[in-house]
Amino acid sequence: MGNYITDDFLLQNKPAQTLYHHFAADQPIIDYHCHLSPADIANDRQFNDLGEVWLEGDHYKWRAMRTLGIDEQYITGDAGYQKKFRKWAETVPFTLRNPLHHWTHLELKRYFDVDQLLGPETADEIYYTCNEKLKTPEYSTRNLIRRMDVEVICTTDDPVDSLEHHRTIAGDDDVEIEVYPAFRPDAAYNFSDPGGYNEYLNKLELVTGINIRGLDDLLEALYDRIDFFDEHGCCLSDHGITTLHSEPIGKKEAETLFESVRSGETLSVAEARSLRYVILLELSRRYDQKGWVQQFHLGALRNNSDRMMEKLGPDTGFDSIGDYPQAESMARFFNELDRTRQLPKTVLYNLNPSDNAVFATMTGNFNDGSTRGKMQFGSAWWFLDQKDGIEDQLNVLSNMGLLSCFIGMLTDSRSFLSYPRHEYFRRVLCNLIGQDIENGELPDDIEWAGKIVSDICYHNAKSYFEF
């Protein structure tokens, strides 16, 4: 059976087809947030097996396989990659109406020119065809990226990271792709495990040479690493937290709380929120000084299965959407920064679709005319980066903000085969605008609509991040 990923896949009207093929398809990719390994790019890793490149670290696929009743040995266990791939192939037909069905066949077609549907009957043929290609230099990590016309990649990096791989990439004249670090300091305010937290601060002491005894010491150490990241081309930070809690406390109280956790004591939930608020405010002020963009990924309920957390560790597919209160504390946080004109450019990503209107209108509260699209309602994230979720985010942003200023899609992925998700987003975007033109709800001005589309796909991000 042939692949349904045709040239006009998801493009259900003539204006959409024109917008996509003439204004979106050929735009380079700026992937300003992902979890790709900079070591793999620096070393130009050559994957040995389709199962390896496809299933290594992809918790989207892992969740689907578990749901189908596949044993963990074929997911994260010690089964060989061919056996794991066969189990994934067995799963794919059952992902009908899940975005994994779309992504799987887009990736097969765009990377390997495979036009078959993946299933148990085609698994071995596809496996051997793709493996033969993976063995060639044209399928090294860097060439997988080049194949998708990726111009910029921003990885996600802890403050204690040496950034040695970014230096290697920057110093290699054969790498024309710009690869920058992004500052992800979540561990610096994760007080849930005092023992683990203090071990992390000891690492931060080692890389900065700063003796961290008080809160000012911690901030000095983080500022030191911000300077270090900035020297390596970093221009953005990222924060993965449930919500922007805003529980102001005085400096003396914050110092006392920090000294408590530094001595191994456990903070209450309210105390942890207050101390985190103080640290995030000071980090935001430093980002503003540097001219960085700050990103907040909000709303995930992480690591819900204690049993599987103990067995496999974090980020292995046991997370879900949370239903946290967002609006009031977020407004107070941004207002405190805006009040003193220290609010940097900010991207807000929402995981709970019921909060989309909250996030879209929140950005409008702090757009002050100083920068085009200064506050961004970020692209549909994680569980929402499928057709319905993308359309919902685009519609809410259109109704309550300016879609024309949107900085577009990112992969947020650990897989080097994820770049067709940009194509997927672009097709959904063009279909949405094209349908409005077809319905007479927008002017039949393809050139102007095409400019808006190409801006969202590429130019807005390039200008916003100043790449």
Side-chain angles (χ1 to χ4, degrees):
M1 185 179 295
N3 201 328
Y4 60 98
I5 308 294
T6 64
D7 286 347
D8 291 332
F9 172 61
L10 297 180
L11 305 173
Q12 299 165 349
N13 51 78
K14 288 295 183 183
Q17 293 162 10
T18 301
L19 289 172
Y20 177 74
H21 293 300
H22 291 275
F23 297 96
D26 294 333
Q27 296 297 332
I29 289 173
I30 293 179
D31 193 17
Y32 54 87
H33 174 71
C34 72
H35 298 275
L36 294 180
S37 165
D40 287 348
I41 301 173
N43 298 323
D44 202 14
R45 178 181 177 182
Q46 192 90 33
F47 289 95
N48 298 311
D49 190 284
L50 182 58
E52 179 184 26
V53 68
W54 228 357
L55 296 169
E56 182 185 80
D58 191 339
H59 53 81
Y60 286 83
K61 294 184 178 71
W62 296 351
R63 284 172 69 98
M65 294 168 79
R66 290 177 187 131
T67 301
L68 199 62
I70 291 174
D71 190 272
E72 195 67 32
Q73 68 170 313
Y74 300 106
I75 302 172
T76 62
D78 57 4
Y81 275 118
Q82 184 172 11
K83 291 181 178 178
K84 289 182 176 180
F85 177 78
R86 284 173 175 161
K87 289 295 184 181
W88 170 240
E90 179 184 319
T91 305
V92 169
F94 291 94
T95 66
L96 205 68
R97 298 204 80 241
N98 184 288
L100 283 166
H101 205 281
H102 290 163
W103 298 341
T104 295
H105 294 101
L106 273 170
E107 290 165 18
L108 282 173
K109 189 157 185 169
R110 297 298 176 247
Y111 288 101
F112 301 103
D113 302 313
V114 169
D115 208 30
Q116 296 169 283
L117 293 182
L118 179 59
E121 301 81 9
T122 59
D124 285 351
E125 181 184 352
I126 289 174
Y127 179 80
Y128 289 118
T129 296
C130 295
N131 274 3
E132 285 303 305
K133 292 184 177 182
L134 281 171
K135 294 174 185 176
T136 66
E138 288 77 13
Y139 281 80
S140 70
T141 295
R142 295 178 186 176
N143 284 323
L144 288 173
I145 296 169
R146 291 185 178 108
R147 185 176 288 266
M148 294 296 107
D149 195 18
V150 181
E151 185 175 287
V152 179
I153 295 173
C154 293
T155 58
T156 302
D157 309 276
D158 191 277
V160 301
D161 195 290
S162 69
L163 303 186
E164 60 184 294
H165 302 300
H166 291 87
R167 285 197 298 276
T168 298
I169 296 165
D172 190 336
D173 292 338
D174 292 332
V175 184
E176 74 288 356
I177 305 153
E178 298 177 57
V179 181
Y180 300 117
F183 189 74
R184 178 79 172 242
D186 290 354
Y189 42 76
N190 182 4
F191 311 116
S192 59
D193 173 14
Y197 181 69
N198 281 293
E199 287 179 13
Y200 176 78
L201 293 191
N202 294 340
K203 294 178 184 177
L204 190 56
E205 284 184 333
L206 284 175
V207 298
T208 61
I210 296 170
N211 190 19
I212 302 174
R213 289 295 171 263
L215 180 57
D216 285 343
D217 301 324
L218 171 64
L219 293 173
E220 182 184 357
L222 291 172
Y223 296 161
D224 178 87
R225 298 310 287 173
I226 288 172
D227 290 342
F228 177 73
F229 272 58
D230 192 70
E231 291 166 3
H232 286 77
C234 179
C235 66
L236 67 167
S237 67
D238 183 49
H239 307 265
I241 52 181
T242 58
T243 187
L244 274 167
H245 292 292
S246 178
E247 302 183 20
I249 55 173
K251 184 173 181 180
K252 185 175 181 180
E253 185 179 354
E255 281 283 2
T256 300
L257 291 177
F258 181 80
E259 290 166 6
S260 295
V261 74
R262 191 64 170 125
S263 65
E265 296 179 26
T266 300
L267 301 182
S268 70
V269 172
E271 289 172 335
R273 289 174 178 174
S274 294
L275 184 54
R276 185 178 299 113
Y277 168 74
V278 171
I279 294 170
L280 283 172
L281 272 181
E282 295 307 318
L283 287 175
S284 294
R285 289 171 176 141
R286 186 53 60 106
Y287 303 150
D288 184 60
Q289 289 180 14
K290 289 290 186 182
W292 284 12
V293 176
Q294 61 180 357
Q295 301 174 96
F296 291 99
H297 284 83
L298 305 175
L301 183 63
R302 299 176 187 270
N303 306 314
N304 293 283
S305 171
D306 288 344
R307 179 172 63 85
M308 298 307 286
M309 174 69 173
E310 184 176 340
K311 180 179 179 180
L312 300 176
D315 305 320
T316 50
F318 299 94
D319 312 307
S320 62
I321 293 170
D323 57 351
Y324 310 100
Q326 298 284 2
E328 291 186 19
S329 60
M330 196 190 315
R332 288 196 297 267
F333 181 85
F334 291 131
N335 185 58
E336 180 63 23
L337 293 166
D338 183 68
R339 187 177 59 81
T340 54
R341 296 183 179 273
Q342 293 176 297
L343 176 61
K345 289 189 283 190
T346 302
V347 187
L348 295 175
Y349 304 94
N350 171 49
L351 196 56
N352 189 332
S354 64
D355 289 330
N356 274 347
V358 170
F359 278 65
T361 55
M362 185 63 64
T363 61
N365 294 335
F366 300 100
N367 275 322
D368 57 6
S370 62
T371 303
R372 189 175 188 267
K374 176 180 178 178
M375 297 288 289
Q376 289 277 335
F377 177 29
S379 63
W381 170 49
W382 200 343
F383 294 104
L384 306 182
D385 62 355
Q386 24 70 15
K387 183 173 181 287
D388 288 351
I390 292 170
E391 288 179 343
D392 191 26
Q393 188 267 351
L394 292 173
N395 281 326
V396 172
L397 175 57
S398 298
N399 286 326
M400 301 178 184
L402 290 183
L403 179 64
S404 55
C405 294
F406 181 39
I407 56 175
M409 188 58 173
L410 45 84
T411 60
D412 190 28
S413 176
R414 292 169 174 79
S415 171
F416 285 93
L417 297 187
S418 289
Y419 280 108
R421 293 186 193 177
H422 280 261
E423 174 186 340
Y424 187 75
F425 165 83
R426 292 173 180 186
R427 288 176 179 271
V428 172
L429 169 69
C430 291
N431 189 65
L432 202 65
I433 294 176
Q435 191 63 60
D436 285 348
I437 294 173
E438 186 90 335
N439 292 343
E441 297 175 33
L442 287 177
D444 188 10
D445 185 343
I446 290 294
E447 289 298 321
W448 181 250
K451 178 194 181 326
I452 300 298
V453 164
S454 62
D455 283 348
I456 294 168
C457 294
Y458 174 72
H459 298 288
N460 286 347
K462 188 173 182 66
S463 174
Y464 187 75
F465 295 104
E466 301 180 23
F467 290 135

